[in-house]
Coordinates of all heavy atoms in Angstrom, one line a residue:
M158 N 0.8 -1.2 0.0 CA 0.0 0.0 0.0 C 0.9 1.2 0.0 O 1.7 1.4 0.8 CB -0.9 0.0 1.3 CG -2.0 -1.0 1.2 SD -3.1 -0.9 2.6 CE -3.9 -2.4 2.4
K159 N 0.6 2.0 -1.0 CA 1.5 3.2 -1.2 C 0.8 4.5 -0.7 O -0.4 4.7 -0.9 CB 1.8 3.3 -2.6 CG 2.9 4.3 -3.0 CD 3.5 4.0 -4.4 CE 4.5 4.9 -4.8 NZ 5.7 5.1 -3.9
V160 N 1.6 5.3 0.0 CA 1.2 6.7 0.4 C 1.5 7.7 -0.8 O 2.7 7.7 -1.3 CB 1.9 7.1 1.7 CG1 1.5 8.5 2.1 CG2 1.7 6.2 2.8
E161 N 0.5 8.4 -1.2 CA 0.7 9.3 -2.3 C 1.0 10.7 -1.7 O 0.3 11.2 -0.9 CB -0.6 9.4 -3.2 CG -0.5 10.3 -4.2 CD -1.9 10.5 -4.9 OE1 -2.8 9.8 -4.8 OE2 -2.0 11.6 -5.7
V162 N 2.1 11.3 -2.2 CA 2.5 12.6 -1.7 C 2.9 13.5 -3.0 O 3.6 13.0 -3.8 CB 3.8 12.6 -0.9 CG1 4.1 14.0 -0.3 CG2 3.6 11.7 0.4
R163 N 2.1 14.6 -3.1 CA 2.4 15.5 -4.2 C 1.9 16.9 -3.8 O 1.4 17.1 -2.7 CB 1.6 15.0 -5.5 CG 0.1 15.0 -5.3 CD -0.5 14.5 -6.6 NE -1.9 14.2 -6.4 CZ -2.9 15.1 -6.4 NH1 -2.6 16.4 -6.5 NH2 -4.1 14.7 -6.3
K164 N 2.1 17.9 -4.6 CA 1.6 19.2 -4.4 C 0.2 19.3 -4.9 O -0.2 18.7 -5.9 CB 2.5 20.3 -5.1 CG 3.9 20.3 -4.6 CD 4.0 20.6 -3.2 CE 5.4 20.5 -2.7 NZ 5.5 20.4 -1.2
P165 N -0.8 20.0 -4.2 CA -2.1 20.0 -4.6 C -2.3 20.9 -5.7 O -1.5 21.9 -6.0 CB -2.8 20.6 -3.4 CG -1.8 21.4 -2.6 CD -0.5 20.7 -2.9
T166 N -3.4 20.7 -6.5 CA -3.8 21.6 -7.6 C -4.4 22.8 -6.9 O -4.7 22.7 -5.6 CB -4.8 21.0 -8.5 OG1 -6.0 20.8 -7.7 CG2 -4.3 19.8 -9.1
K167 N -4.6 23.9 -7.5 CA -5.2 25.1 -6.9 C -6.7 24.8 -6.4 O -7.0 25.2 -5.3 CB -5.3 26.2 -8.0 CG -5.7 27.5 -7.4 CD -5.7 28.6 -8.5 CE -6.1 29.9 -7.8 NZ -6.2 31.0 -8.8
E168 N -7.4 24.0 -7.2 CA -8.7 23.5 -6.8 C -8.7 22.6 -5.5 O -9.5 22.8 -4.6 CB -9.4 22.8 -7.9 CG -9.7 23.6 -9.2 CD -8.5 23.9 -10.0 OE1 -7.5 23.2 -9.9 OE2 -8.6 24.8 -10.9
E169 N -7.8 21.8 -5.4 CA -7.6 20.8 -4.2 C -7.3 21.7 -3.1 O -7.8 21.4 -2.0 CB -6.6 19.8 -4.5 CG -7.0 18.7 -5.5 CD -5.9 17.8 -6.0 OE1 -4.7 18.3 -5.9 OE2 -6.2 16.7 -6.4
A170 N -6.4 22.6 -3.2 CA -6.0 23.5 -2.0 C -7.2 24.3 -1.6 O -7.4 24.4 -0.3 CB -4.9 24.4 -2.5
E171 N -8.0 24.8 -2.5 CA -9.2 25.6 -2.1 C -10.2 24.7 -1.3 O -10.8 25.1 -0.3 CB -9.9 26.3 -3.3 CG -9.1 27.5 -3.7 CD -9.1 28.6 -2.6 OE1 -10.1 28.9 -2.1 OE2 -7.9 29.0 -2.4
E172 N -10.5 23.5 -1.9 CA -11.4 22.6 -1.3 C -11.0 22.2 0.1 O -11.9 22.1 1.0 CB -11.6 21.3 -2.3 CG -12.4 20.2 -1.7 CD -13.9 20.6 -1.6 OE1 -14.4 21.5 -2.3 OE2 -14.6 19.9 -0.8
A173 N -9.8 21.9 0.3 CA -9.2 21.5 1.6 C -9.5 22.5 2.7 O -9.6 22.1 3.8 CB -7.8 21.1 1.4
K174 N -9.6 23.8 2.3 CA -9.8 24.8 3.4 C -11.2 24.6 4.1 O -11.3 25.0 5.2 CB -9.7 26.2 2.7 CG -8.4 26.6 2.3 CD -8.3 27.9 1.7 CE -7.0 28.2 1.1 NZ -7.0 29.5 0.4
K175 N -12.1 23.8 3.5 CA -13.4 23.5 4.1 C -13.3 22.3 5.1 O -14.3 22.1 5.8 CB -14.4 23.2 3.0 CG -14.6 24.4 2.1 CD -15.6 23.9 0.9 CE -15.5 24.9 -0.3 NZ -16.2 24.4 -1.4
W176 N -12.2 21.5 5.0 CA -12.1 20.3 5.8 C -11.7 20.7 7.2 O -11.2 21.7 7.4 CB -11.1 19.3 5.1 CG -11.3 19.0 3.8 CD1 -12.4 19.1 3.0 CD2 -10.3 18.3 2.9 NE1 -12.3 18.5 1.8 CE2 -11.0 18.1 1.6 CE3 -9.0 18.0 3.0 CZ2 -10.4 17.5 0.5 CZ3 -8.4 17.4 1.9 CH2 -9.0 17.1 0.7
P177 N -12.0 19.7 8.2 CA -11.5 19.9 9.5 C -10.0 20.0 9.6 O -9.3 19.6 8.7 CB -12.0 18.7 10.3 CG -12.9 18.0 9.4 CD -12.6 18.5 8.0
I178 N -9.5 20.5 10.8 CA -8.0 20.6 11.0 C -7.7 19.6 12.2 O -8.4 19.6 13.2 CB -7.6 22.0 11.4 CG1 -7.8 22.9 10.1 CG2 -6.2 22.1 11.9 CD1 -7.4 24.3 10.4
W179 N -6.6 18.9 12.0 CA -6.0 18.0 13.1 C -4.6 18.5 13.4 O -3.9 19.0 12.5 CB -6.0 16.6 12.6 CG -5.4 15.6 13.4 CD1 -6.1 14.9 14.5 CD2 -4.1 15.1 13.5 NE1 -5.3 14.0 15.1 CE2 -4.0 14.1 14.5 CE3 -2.9 15.3 12.8 CZ2 -2.8 13.4 14.8 CZ3 -1.8 14.6 13.1 CH2 -1.7 13.7 14.1
E180 N -4.3 18.6 14.6 CA -2.9 19.0 14.9 C -2.4 18.1 16.1 O -3.1 17.6 16.9 CB -2.8 20.5 15.3 CG -3.8 21.0 16.3 CD -3.7 22.5 16.4 OE1 -3.4 23.2 15.4 OE2 -3.9 22.9 17.5
K181 N -1.0 17.9 16.1 CA -0.4 17.1 17.1 C 1.1 17.6 17.3 O 1.7 17.9 16.3 CB -0.4 15.6 16.6 CG 0.1 14.7 17.7 CD -0.8 13.4 17.7 CE -0.3 12.4 18.8 NZ -0.6 12.8 20.1
E182 N 1.5 17.5 18.5 CA 2.8 17.9 18.9 C 3.8 16.7 18.4 O 3.3 15.7 18.2 CB 2.9 18.0 20.5 CG 2.0 19.1 21.0 CD 2.3 20.5 20.5 OE1 3.5 20.8 20.2 OE2 1.3 21.3 20.4
P183 N 5.1 17.1 18.5 CA 6.1 16.1 18.2 C 5.9 14.8 19.0 O 5.7 14.9 20.2 CB 7.4 16.7 18.4 CG 7.1 18.2 18.1 CD 5.7 18.4 18.7
S184 N 5.8 13.7 18.3 CA 5.6 12.4 19.0 C 5.7 11.3 18.0 O 5.8 11.5 16.8 CB 4.2 12.3 19.6 OG 3.2 12.6 18.7
T185 N 5.7 10.0 18.5 CA 5.8 8.8 17.6 C 4.7 7.9 18.1 O 4.6 7.7 19.3 CB 7.2 8.1 17.7 OG1 8.2 9.1 17.4 CG2 7.3 7.0 16.9
F186 N 3.9 7.4 17.2 CA 2.8 6.5 17.5 C 2.4 5.7 16.3 O 2.5 6.1 15.1 CB 1.6 7.4 18.0 CG 1.0 8.4 17.0 CD1 0.1 8.1 16.0 CD2 1.6 9.6 16.9 CE1 -0.4 9.0 15.1 CE2 1.2 10.6 16.0 CZ 0.2 10.3 15.1
P187 N 1.8 4.5 16.5 CA 1.4 3.6 15.5 C 0.0 4.1 15.1 O -0.8 4.6 15.8 CB 1.3 2.3 16.1 CG 1.1 2.5 17.6 CD 1.8 3.8 17.8
W188 N -0.4 3.8 13.7 CA -1.7 4.2 13.3 C -2.1 3.3 12.1 O -1.3 2.8 11.4 CB -1.7 5.7 12.7 CG -3.1 6.2 12.5 CD1 -3.7 6.4 11.3 CD2 -4.0 6.6 13.5 NE1 -5.0 6.9 11.5 CE2 -5.2 7.0 12.9 CE3 -3.9 6.6 14.9 CZ2 -6.3 7.5 13.6 CZ3 -5.0 7.1 15.6 CH2 -6.2 7.5 14.9
E189 N -3.4 3.0 12.1 CA -3.9 2.2 11.1 C -5.2 2.9 10.5 O -6.0 3.4 11.2 CB -4.4 0.8 11.6 CG -4.8 -0.1 10.5 CD -4.9 -1.6 10.9 OE1 -4.1 -2.0 11.7 OE2 -5.7 -2.3 10.3
Y190 N -5.2 2.9 9.2 CA -6.3 3.7 8.5 C -7.5 2.8 8.2 O -7.3 1.8 7.4 CB -5.8 4.4 7.2 CG -4.9 5.5 7.5 CD1 -3.5 5.3 7.7 CD2 -5.4 6.8 7.6 CE1 -2.7 6.4 8.0 CE2 -4.6 7.9 8.0 CZ -3.3 7.6 8.1 OH -2.4 8.7 8.5
D191 N -8.7 3.0 8.8 CA -9.9 2.2 8.7 C -10.6 2.6 7.3 O -11.3 1.9 6.8 CB -10.8 2.4 9.8 CG -10.3 1.9 11.1 OD1 -9.5 1.0 11.0 OD2 -10.8 2.4 12.2
E192 N -10.2 3.8 6.9 CA -10.7 4.4 5.6 C -9.6 5.2 5.0 O -8.7 5.6 5.7 CB -12.1 5.1 5.7 CG -12.1 6.2 6.8 CD -13.5 6.7 7.1 OE1 -14.2 6.8 6.1 OE2 -13.8 7.0 8.2
Q193 N -9.8 5.4 3.7 CA -8.8 6.4 3.0 C -8.9 7.7 3.7 O -9.9 8.2 4.1 CB -9.1 6.5 1.6 CG -8.2 7.4 0.8 CD -8.5 7.5 -0.7 OE1 -8.1 6.7 -1.4 NE2 -9.2 8.6 -1.1
E194 N -7.7 8.4 3.9 CA -7.6 9.8 4.3 C -6.8 10.6 3.2 O -5.8 10.1 2.8 CB -6.9 9.8 5.6 CG -6.7 11.3 6.1 CD -5.9 11.5 7.4 OE1 -6.2 10.7 8.3 OE2 -5.2 12.4 7.4
T195 N -7.4 11.7 2.9 CA -6.7 12.7 2.1 C -6.5 13.9 2.9 O -7.3 14.4 3.7 CB -7.6 13.1 0.9 OG1 -8.0 11.9 0.1 CG2 -6.9 14.1 -0.1
C196 N -5.3 14.5 2.9 CA -5.0 15.7 3.7 C -4.0 16.6 3.0 O -3.3 16.2 2.1 CB -4.4 15.3 5.1 SG -2.9 14.4 5.1
I197 N -4.0 17.8 3.5 CA -3.0 18.8 3.0 C -2.4 19.3 4.3 O -3.0 19.7 5.3 CB -3.6 20.0 2.3 CG1 -4.1 19.5 0.9 CG2 -2.7 21.1 2.0 CD1 -4.7 20.5 0.0
I198 N -1.0 19.2 4.3 CA -0.3 19.7 5.5 C -0.2 21.2 5.5 O 0.3 21.7 4.5 CB 1.1 19.0 5.5 CG1 1.1 17.5 5.3 CG2 1.9 19.4 6.8 CD1 0.3 16.7 6.3
I199 N -0.7 21.8 6.6 CA -0.6 23.3 6.7 C 0.7 23.7 7.2 O 1.4 24.6 6.7 CB -1.7 23.8 7.7 CG1 -3.1 23.3 7.2 CG2 -1.6 25.3 7.8 CD1 -4.2 23.4 8.2
E200 N 1.2 23.1 8.3 CA 2.5 23.3 8.8 C 3.1 22.0 9.5 O 2.4 21.1 9.8 CB 2.4 24.5 9.8 CG 1.7 24.2 11.0 CD 1.6 25.4 12.0 OE1 1.1 26.4 11.6 OE2 2.1 25.2 13.1
G201 N 4.4 22.1 9.6 CA 5.1 20.9 10.4 C 5.7 20.0 9.4 O 5.8 20.2 8.2
K202 N 6.3 18.9 10.1 CA 7.0 17.9 9.4 C 6.9 16.6 10.0 O 6.9 16.6 11.3 CB 8.5 18.3 9.3 CG 9.4 17.5 8.3 CD 10.8 18.0 8.4 CE 10.8 19.4 7.7 NZ 12.2 19.9 7.6
A203 N 6.8 15.5 9.2 CA 6.7 14.2 9.8 C 7.2 13.1 8.9 O 7.4 13.4 7.7 CB 5.2 13.8 10.2
V204 N 7.6 12.0 9.4 CA 8.1 10.8 8.7 C 7.0 9.7 9.0 O 6.7 9.5 10.1 CB 9.4 10.4 9.1 CG1 9.8 9.1 8.3 CG2 10.5 11.5 8.7
V205 N 6.4 9.2 7.9 CA 5.4 8.1 8.1 C 6.1 6.8 7.6 O 6.6 6.7 6.4 CB 4.2 8.4 7.3 CG1 3.2 7.2 7.5 CG2 3.5 9.7 7.7
K206 N 6.3 5.8 8.5 CA 7.0 4.6 8.2 C 6.0 3.5 7.9 O 5.1 3.3 8.8 CB 7.9 4.2 9.4 CG 8.9 5.3 9.7 CD 9.7 4.9 10.9 CE 10.6 6.1 11.2 NZ 11.4 5.8 12.5
T207 N 6.1 2.9 6.7 CA 5.2 1.8 6.3 C 6.0 0.6 6.1 O 7.3 0.6 6.1 CB 4.4 2.2 5.1 OG1 5.3 2.2 4.0 CG2 3.7 3.6 5.1
G208 N 5.3 -0.5 5.7 CA 6.1 -1.7 5.4 C 6.9 -1.6 4.1 O 7.8 -2.4 3.8
E209 N 6.6 -0.6 3.4 CA 7.3 -0.3 2.1 C 8.4 0.7 2.2 O 9.1 1.0 1.2 CB 6.3 0.1 1.0 CG 5.3 -1.0 0.7 CD 4.3 -0.6 -0.4 OE1 4.4 0.6 -0.9 OE2 3.5 -1.4 -0.7
G210 N 8.6 1.3 3.4 CA 9.6 2.3 3.5 C 9.1 3.6 4.2 O 8.0 3.5 4.9
E211 N 9.8 4.6 4.2 CA 9.4 5.9 4.8 C 9.1 7.0 3.8 O 9.6 7.0 2.8 CB 10.7 6.4 5.6 CG 11.1 5.4 6.7 CD 12.2 6.1 7.5 OE1 12.7 7.2 7.3 OE2 12.6 5.4 8.5
V212 N 8.1 7.8 4.2 CA 7.7 8.9 3.4 C 7.8 10.1 4.3 O 7.2 10.2 5.4 CB 6.2 8.7 3.0 CG1 5.7 9.9 2.1 CG2 6.0 7.4 2.2
E213 N 8.5 11.1 3.8 CA 8.6 12.4 4.6 C 7.6 13.4 4.0 O 7.4 13.5 2.8 CB 10.0 13.0 4.5 CG 10.2 14.1 5.4 CD 11.6 14.5 5.5 OE1 12.4 13.6 5.6 OE2 11.9 15.8 5.6
I214 N 6.7 14.0 4.9 CA 5.7 14.9 4.5 C 5.9 16.2 5.3 O 6.4 16.2 6.4 CB 4.3 14.4 4.7 CG1 4.1 14.0 6.2 CG2 4.0 13.2 3.8 CD1 2.6 13.5 6.5
G215 N 5.5 17.3 4.6 CA 5.7 18.6 5.2 C 4.7 19.7 4.7 O 3.9 19.3 3.8
A216 N 4.8 20.9 5.1 CA 3.9 22.0 4.8 C 3.8 22.1 3.3 O 4.8 22.0 2.5 CB 4.4 23.3 5.3
G217 N 2.6 22.1 2.8 CA 2.2 22.3 1.3 C 2.0 20.9 0.7 O 1.6 21.0 -0.5
D218 N 2.2 19.9 1.3 CA 2.1 18.6 0.6 C 0.6 18.1 0.7 O -0.1 18.3 1.7 CB 2.9 17.4 1.3 CG 4.4 17.6 1.0 OD1 4.7 18.2 0.0 OD2 5.1 17.0 1.8
Y219 N 0.1 17.5 -0.4 CA -1.2 16.8 -0.6 C -0.9 15.3 -0.4 O -0.1 14.8 -1.1 CB -1.7 17.1 -2.0 CG -3.0 16.6 -2.2 CD1 -4.2 17.3 -2.0 CD2 -3.1 15.2 -2.8 CE1 -5.5 16.7 -2.3 CE2 -4.4 14.7 -3.1 CZ -5.6 15.5 -2.9 OH -6.7 14.9 -3.2
V220 N -1.5 14.7 0.6 CA -1.2 13.3 1.0 C -2.4 12.5 0.9 O -3.5 12.9 1.5 CB -0.5 13.2 2.4 CG1 0.1 11.8 2.6 CG2 0.7 14.3 2.5
R221 N -2.3 11.3 0.4 CA -3.4 10.3 0.4 C -2.9 9.0 1.0 O -2.0 8.4 0.5 CB -3.9 10.1 -1.0 CG -5.2 9.2 -1.0 CD -5.9 9.2 -2.3 NE -6.5 10.4 -2.5 CZ -6.6 11.0 -3.7 NH1 -6.1 10.6 -4.8 NH2 -7.3 12.2 -3.8
F222 N -3.6 8.6 2.2 CA -3.3 7.4 2.9 C -4.4 6.3 2.5 O -5.6 6.6 2.7 CB -3.3 7.6 4.3 CG -2.2 8.6 4.9 CD1 -2.5 9.9 5.1 CD2 -0.9 8.2 5.0 CE1 -1.6 10.8 5.6 CE2 0.0 9.1 5.5 CZ -0.3 10.4 5.7
P223 N -4.0 5.2 2.0 CA -5.0 4.2 1.5 C -5.6 3.5 2.8 O -5.0 3.4 3.8 CB -4.2 3.2 0.7 CG -2.8 3.3 1.2 CD -2.6 4.8 1.7
K224 N -6.9 3.1 2.5 CA -7.6 2.3 3.5 C -6.8 1.1 3.8 O -6.3 0.4 2.9 CB -9.0 2.0 3.0 CG -9.8 1.1 3.9 CD -11.2 0.8 3.3 CE -12.0 -0.1 4.2 NZ -13.3 -0.4 3.7
G225 N -6.7 0.7 5.1 CA -6.0 -0.6 5.4 C -4.5 -0.4 5.8 O -3.8 -1.3 6.2
L226 N -4.0 0.8 5.5 CA -2.5 1.1 5.8 C -2.2 1.0 7.3 O -2.9 1.7 8.0 CB -2.2 2.4 5.2 CG -0.7 2.8 5.5 CD1 0.3 2.0 4.5 CD2 -0.5 4.3 5.1
S227 N -1.2 0.2 7.6 CA -0.6 0.3 9.0 C 0.7 1.0 8.9 O 1.5 0.7 8.0 CB -0.5 -1.1 9.5 OG -1.7 -1.8 9.8
C228 N 0.9 1.9 9.8 CA 2.1 2.8 9.8 C 2.5 3.2 11.1 O 1.8 3.1 12.1 CB 1.9 3.9 8.7 SG 0.6 5.0 9.3
V229 N 3.6 4.0 11.1 CA 4.1 4.6 12.4 C 4.4 6.0 12.0 O 5.1 6.3 11.1 CB 5.3 4.0 13.0 CG1 5.8 4.8 14.2 CG2 5.0 2.5 13.4
W230 N 3.7 6.9 12.7 CA 3.9 8.3 12.5 C 5.0 8.8 13.4 O 5.0 8.5 14.6 CB 2.7 9.2 12.9 CG 1.7 9.3 11.8 CD1 0.9 8.3 11.2 CD2 1.4 10.5 11.0 NE1 0.1 8.9 10.3 CE2 0.4 10.2 10.1 CE3 1.9 11.8 11.0 CZ2 -0.1 11.1 9.2 CZ3 1.4 12.7 10.2 CH2 0.4 12.4 9.3
E231 N 6.0 9.6 12.8 CA 7.1 10.2 13.7 C 7.0 11.7 13.4 O 7.4 12.1 12.3 CB 8.4 9.6 13.4 CG 9.5 10.2 14.3 CD 10.9 9.5 14.0 OE1 11.0 8.5 13.4 OE2 11.9 10.2 14.4
I232 N 6.3 12.5 14.3 CA 6.1 13.9 14.0 C 7.4 14.6 14.5 O 7.7 14.5 15.7 CB 4.9 14.4 14.7 CG1 3.6 13.7 14.2 CG2 4.8 15.9 14.6 CD1 2.3 14.0 14.8
K233 N 8.1 15.3 13.6 CA 9.3 16.0 13.8 C 9.1 17.4 14.4 O 9.8 17.9 15.2 CB 10.2 16.0 12.6 CG 10.5 14.7 12.0 CD 11.5 14.0 12.8 CE 12.1 12.8 12.0 NZ 13.0 12.0 12.7
E234 N 8.1 18.1 13.7 CA 7.7 19.5 14.1 C 6.2 19.4 14.1 O 5.5 18.8 13.3 CB 8.2 20.4 13.0 CG 9.6 20.5 12.8 CD 10.1 21.4 11.6 OE1 9.2 22.1 11.1 OE2 11.3 21.2 11.3
K235 N 5.6 20.1 15.1 CA 4.1 20.1 15.3 C 3.4 20.2 13.9 O 3.6 21.0 13.1 CB 3.7 21.4 16.1 CG 2.2 21.4 16.3 CD 1.8 22.6 17.1 CE 0.2 22.6 17.2 NZ -0.2 23.8 17.9
I236 N 2.5 19.2 13.7 CA 1.8 19.0 12.5 C 0.4 19.7 12.6 O -0.3 19.6 13.7 CB 1.5 17.5 12.2 CG1 2.8 17.0 11.6 CG2 0.4 17.3 11.2 CD1 3.0 17.2 10.1
R237 N 0.0 20.4 11.6 CA -1.4 20.9 11.4 C -1.8 20.5 10.0 O -1.0 20.8 9.1 CB -1.5 22.4 11.6 CG -1.2 22.9 13.0 CD -1.5 24.4 13.2 NE -3.0 24.6 13.2 CZ -3.7 25.5 12.4 NH1 -3.0 26.2 11.5 NH2 -4.9 25.6 12.5
K238 N -2.9 19.9 9.9 CA -3.4 19.5 8.6 C -4.8 19.6 8.4 O -5.6 19.4 9.3 CB -2.9 18.0 8.3 CG -3.6 16.9 9.1 CD -3.2 15.6 8.7 CE -3.9 14.5 9.7 NZ -3.6 13.2 9.2
H239 N -5.4 19.9 7.2 CA -6.7 19.8 6.8 C -6.9 18.3 6.3 O -6.0 17.8 5.6 CB -7.1 20.7 5.6 CG -7.2 22.1 5.9 ND1 -8.3 22.6 6.7 CD2 -6.4 23.2 5.7 CE1 -8.2 23.9 6.8 NE2 -7.0 24.3 6.2
Y240 N -7.9 17.7 6.7 CA -8.1 16.3 6.4 C -9.5 15.9 6.0 O -10.5 16.6 6.4 CB -7.6 15.4 7.5 CG -8.6 15.3 8.7 CD1 -9.5 14.3 8.8 CD2 -8.5 16.3 9.7 CE1 -10.4 14.3 9.9 CE2 -9.4 16.3 10.8 CZ -10.3 15.3 10.9 OH -11.2 15.3 11.9
K241 N -9.7 14.8 5.2 CA -11.0 14.3 4.8 C -10.8 12.8 4.8 O -9.9 12.2 4.2 CB -11.3 14.8 3.4 CG -12.7 14.3 2.9 CD -13.0 14.8 1.5 CE -12.2 14.0 0.5 NZ -12.6 14.3 -0.9
L242 N -11.9 12.1 5.5 CA -11.9 10.7 5.5 C -12.9 10.2 4.4 O -13.9 10.8 4.2 CB -12.3 10.2 6.9 CG -11.3 10.6 8.0 CD1 -12.0 10.3 9.4 CD2 -10.0 10.0 7.9
G243 N -12.5 9.0 3.9 CA -13.4 8.4 3.0 C -13.1 8.6 1.6 O -12.2 9.4 1.2

């Protein structure tokens, strides 16, 4: 299962402003996605470790986590993101 990381289109960036915001201080924790999550990182930096390797994400990134993904989040700098489930 692959984590998709890219820059958002202008339309995606505008749409994401309507989504809820999640934030978390630097920490490390396991996570499993019960449904797909799409998010745009507002600020911060993290490394997401999956069975296929590590993905670094940061401010400005458009990220899609697939349903069923098990991973470990390592937040390096406080993360704030707009997110949408499903």
Side-chain angles (χ1 to χ4, degrees):
M158 287 184 194
K159 192 160 176 58
V160 177
E161 176 189 346
V162 181
R163 60 179 172 80
K164 296 302 175 195
T166 65
K167 188 175 180 182
E168 293 78 16
E169 288 167 338
E171 282 301 309
E172 175 67 22
K174 290 177 183 176
K175 301 174 192 168
W176 301 346
I178 291 178
W179 178 86
E180 52 186 31
K181 187 143 179 74
E182 301 297 327
S184 55
T185 301
F186 57 92
W188 193 254
E189 187 165 329
Y190 289 88
D191 295 335
E192 52 189 322
Q193 177 178 281
E194 178 184 316
T195 303
C196 62
I197 291 184
I198 309 301
I199 303 166
E200 65 181 61
K202 192 178 290 185
V204 174
V205 179
K206 300 174 183 177
T207 72
E209 296 178 0
E211 297 184 357
V212 178
E213 191 165 320
I214 57 176
D218 286 341
Y219 179 93
V220 188
R221 185 169 287 143
F222 298 98
K224 178 180 178 178
L226 177 72
S227 291
C228 60
V229 174
W230 273 74
E231 186 178 339
I232 299 174
K233 305 283 195 182
E234 298 171 13
K235 180 183 175 180
I236 281 277
R237 291 186 77 231
K238 66 178 183 176
H239 284 288
Y240 72 95
K241 179 180 78 169
L242 300 174

